[in-house]
Amino acid sequence: MASTHRTHTPPAGSEQGLTVLEFALLLPILVPLLLATFEVGNILRTQITLDSAATAVARQVAVDPTVRTQEAAEAYLLAQDLLPGVTQTTLGATPPVLTLTPENPTCSLSETCTPFELKIAYTYHPVSGALMEAFFDGVNLGASVKKTVEPGTGTTLVSQ
């Protein structure tokens, strides 16, 4: 006696329902994954921008005697728009903080040049909303550059 094998063919449209179900199950995983990828990319962009800005301001401090105070370095940073897209407008966001140590570094052709350090600190807040705050809110980013003033780049500034 020969056995007959019967195959069951699903009714039309049931595969479409399965696709919708699979999509509904994967959506809660895919959306946070995409948002996290976006946030990591934005953090990396912000870090690269901070590094670039710190290098540019430190170079200016090293060669320009009018930019040797913290106030002048901050003014140069803003005037040159070296931090595009970094300062966020969300509630509680603070702008980047620039620190120049020691303030008013000097160097002449006859003296030993002392190095200075320029730092930019920034606290990152996620831009993709409350869903990513648990993972990325309050990430501290920063850039630091150590340099010496170029010898013979003018006289030192006198504080009054």
Side-chain angles (χ1 to χ4, degrees):
M1 184 161 149
S3 164
T4 59
H5 185 264
R6 293 184 186 192
T7 59
H8 175 68
T9 57
S14 68
E15 285 187 25
Q16 186 179 18
L18 184 61
T19 303
V20 170
L21 177 65
E22 289 173 349
F23 182 72
L25 290 173
L26 286 176
L27 193 62
I29 296 169
L30 288 177
V31 169
L33 187 63
L34 288 173
L35 290 175
T37 302
F38 172 77
E39 289 297 340
V40 168
N42 201 33
I43 288 171
L44 291 173
R45 179 196 59 80
T46 302
Q47 181 62 52
I48 290 169
T49 303
L50 290 173
D51 289 337
S52 176
T55 302
V57 174
R59 174 71 181 145
Q60 194 65 24
V61 169
V63 299
D64 186 353
T66 64
V67 187
R68 299 240 169 104
T69 64
Q70 184 162 329
E71 183 180 321
E74 289 171 350
Y76 179 80
L77 178 71
L78 293 174
Q80 297 298 313
D81 195 25
L82 296 173
L83 296 174
V86 171
T87 302
Q88 297 165 319
T89 58
T90 58
L91 186 63
T94 57
V97 177
L98 184 140
T99 308
L100 179 63
T101 311
E103 190 165 352
N104 200 11
T106 62
C107 184
S108 67
L109 295 174
S110 62
E111 67 182 43
T112 304
C113 302
T114 37
F116 66 89
E117 183 174 22
L118 187 131
K119 293 181 182 180
I120 300 177
Y122 181 65
T123 303
Y124 181 82
H125 300 285
V127 294
S128 60
L131 184 61
M132 292 290 113
E133 283 182 359
F135 303 104
F136 299 106
D137 195 31
V139 173
N140 292 319
L141 302 175
S144 177
V145 177
K146 288 185 180 181
K147 221 166 172 45
T148 57
V149 174
E150 298 287 329
T153 55
T155 59
T156 61
L157 294 175
V158 179
S159 299
Q160 294 180 355

